[in-house]
Amino acid sequence: MLLAGEVDATTLLGLFAQTDMMLRWMAEERLAHGHQPFGSLLRAVLADQRKADWCRRWGAIIEWSHRKALYDASVTSFEASGRAGPDEPWRQRDVTDDQADLIETLCTLLGKPIPTLVDRGAAYEWIKEHGGNPTYWAPPPHPDSWSD
């Protein structure tokens, strides 16, 4: 692998998404240190922690946007399928651990007491009424424009 164990995928995604900066930084490395393989140029660029952090923030925005679209499609598809109806058998089962964790997170963020919910249906409705998964409320902040 190109940079196995050295650079995370989010940082690389951000670097590749910011093509102008990537090419500029790689050209600067090439001019400063001569011919190098592509991976060495990337490694040299991202050895600068400020550049790596900036790229990681861009990568996080792209990843969030992708996951948000998948989340929205999943929720919309589930609700449109008719399986969210009030008489569906899943609603009577115990609240899932994931639902309980999400409810606790929402209560913390919203300053509300943790409700007593007896089944998945009630938990589903409570989560929906309180904004759904807060991970998707807002994208990560955009980094400032790069300045040397």
Side-chain angles (χ1 to χ4, degrees):
M1 292 181 62
L2 180 62
L3 298 170
E6 295 180 39
V7 178
D8 65 279
T10 302
T11 301
L12 282 175
L13 177 61
L15 177 64
F16 291 149
Q18 297 298 323
T19 311
D20 289 344
M21 293 310 302
M22 179 183 75
L23 293 173
R24 177 182 146 198
W25 291 335
M26 291 179 74
E28 289 170 355
E29 283 298 322
R30 170 71 168 81
L31 289 171
H33 303 289
H35 176 74
Q36 299 175 59
F38 182 77
S40 296
L41 288 170
L42 285 179
R43 197 175 294 110
V45 166
L46 294 174
D48 180 324
Q49 193 60 51
R50 187 168 160 253
K51 290 175 183 173
D53 291 345
W54 189 81
C55 291
R56 186 163 205 334
R57 289 193 300 275
W58 276 113
I61 291 167
I62 295 165
E63 287 177 341
W64 181 90
S65 296
H66 178 72
R67 286 192 312 269
K68 169 81 164 110
L70 293 173
Y71 172 77
D72 288 347
S74 175
V75 170
T76 300
S77 173
F78 178 68
E79 290 177 347
S81 74
R83 293 192 55 235
D87 297 325
E88 290 296 314
W90 65 266
R91 287 182 164 274
Q92 281 69 50
R93 295 187 202 129
D94 290 341
V95 175
T96 69
D97 290 342
D98 286 344
Q99 285 179 314
D101 290 344
L102 186 52
I103 289 166
E104 184 176 339
T105 298
L106 285 164
C107 287
T108 299
L109 290 171
L110 299 171
K112 293 186 169 278
I114 296 176
T116 302
L117 302 168
V118 295
D119 58 36
R120 289 181 190 183
Y124 173 81
E125 296 301 333
W126 191 95
I127 291 166
K128 186 175 172 182
E129 289 168 13
H130 291 86
N133 190 330
T135 300
Y136 303 109
W137 286 356
H142 280 70
D144 293 334
S145 296
W146 182 261
S147 63
D148 292 319

